């Protein structure tokens, strides 16, 4: 009886702790940290704490298998770090460009579609996780990608060194 009770109590405590830690980390980010570039003109927006939390959750559930920590497991030479995103053609270093990429992924040089092998809205029949994502979800995921280098610094996109 004691063994079952102690496992239950431990599970409840871990659940409560993770709830408070997750909530606190998104809220603790100041406005300057949550400010990200929206478009190629340099316009910015401040992500809400809810968008930050939602973007992280959706990224981990949808993209995290191949992009853990901002790396690209299938091609370690191309990550989700700011430098790699800015050198892509077209540039992918803003929210609108990342949303466009998630909808219509192309090779790094922008010449060929890779919708058949990369998660995207166009390949929702191949990757069922993409079926239920809304534009708001894609915006939150892109926000997470833009925000992560500020939080994780060089670990985001750092590859095998960190992950």
């Amino acid at each position: 009886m004691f063994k079952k009770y102690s496992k239950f109590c431990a599970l409840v405590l871990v659940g409560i702790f993770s709830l408070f830690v997750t909530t606190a980390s998104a809220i603790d980010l100041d406005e300057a940290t949550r400010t990200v570039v929206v478009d190629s003109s340099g316009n910015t927006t401040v992500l809400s704490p809810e968008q930050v939390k939602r973007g992280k959750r959706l990224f981990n559930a949808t993209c995290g298998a191949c992009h853990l920590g901002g790396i690209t497991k299938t091609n370690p030479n191309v990550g989700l770090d700011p430098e790699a995103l800015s050198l892509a053609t077209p540039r992918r270093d803003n929210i609108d460009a990342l949303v466009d990429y998630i909808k219509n992924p192309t090779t790094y040089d922008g010449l060929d579609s890779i919708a058949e092998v990369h998660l995207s809205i166009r390949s929702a029949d191949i990757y069922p996780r993409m079926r239920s994502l809304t534009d708001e979800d894609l915006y939150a995921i892109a926000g997470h990608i833009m925000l992560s280098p500020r939080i994780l610094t060089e670990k985001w996109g750092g590859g095998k060194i960190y992950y």
Side-chain angles (χ1 to χ4, degrees):
M1 177 72 177
F2 178 74
K3 189 174 182 180
K4 287 182 181 180
Y5 181 72
S6 64
K7 285 182 182 179
F8 176 74
C9 287
L11 183 63
V12 168
L13 288 174
V14 167
I16 291 171
F17 177 75
S18 65
L19 177 69
F20 285 116
V21 169
T22 303
T23 304
S25 63
I27 294 172
D28 288 345
L29 299 175
D30 63 358
E31 235 179 73
T33 304
R34 290 183 283 120
T35 302
V36 294
V37 178
V38 177
D39 57 30
S40 58
S41 301
N43 295 319
T44 61
T45 188
V46 179
L47 299 173
S48 71
E50 292 77 26
Q51 286 175 310
V52 172
K53 189 167 50 170
R54 184 177 189 187
K56 180 178 180 178
R57 181 181 52 79
L58 288 169
F59 177 86
N60 289 335
T62 308
C63 314
C66 294
H67 292 290
L68 176 67
I71 63 166
T72 302
K73 289 182 180 179
T74 56
N75 185 356
N77 296 320
V78 180
L80 298 178
D81 56 284
E83 181 182 15
L85 293 174
S86 69
L87 294 173
T89 304
R91 292 176 67 118
R92 301 293 185 188
D93 58 351
N94 62 71
I95 289 182
D96 288 348
L98 286 169
V99 169
D100 176 63
Y101 180 83
I102 297 169
K103 289 181 176 183
N104 301 297
T106 60
T107 54
Y108 195 66
D109 60 9
L111 297 177
D112 300 310
S113 172
I114 57 171
E116 302 301 320
V117 295
H118 189 277
L119 289 175
S120 71
I121 298 302
R122 287 183 53 202
S123 62
D125 54 331
I126 301 170
Y127 303 105
R129 292 181 192 164
M130 301 303 287
R131 289 182 187 154
S132 61
L133 293 179
T134 64
D135 282 345
E136 185 179 308
D137 294 335
L138 300 180
Y139 192 92
I141 291 169
H144 173 73
I145 294 168
M146 296 297 298
L147 182 65
S148 291
R150 294 181 184 175
I151 299 168
L152 300 173
T153 61
E154 72 273 356
K155 284 186 176 182
W156 181 257
K160 294 179 182 178
I161 297 169
Y162 300 103
Y163 298 98

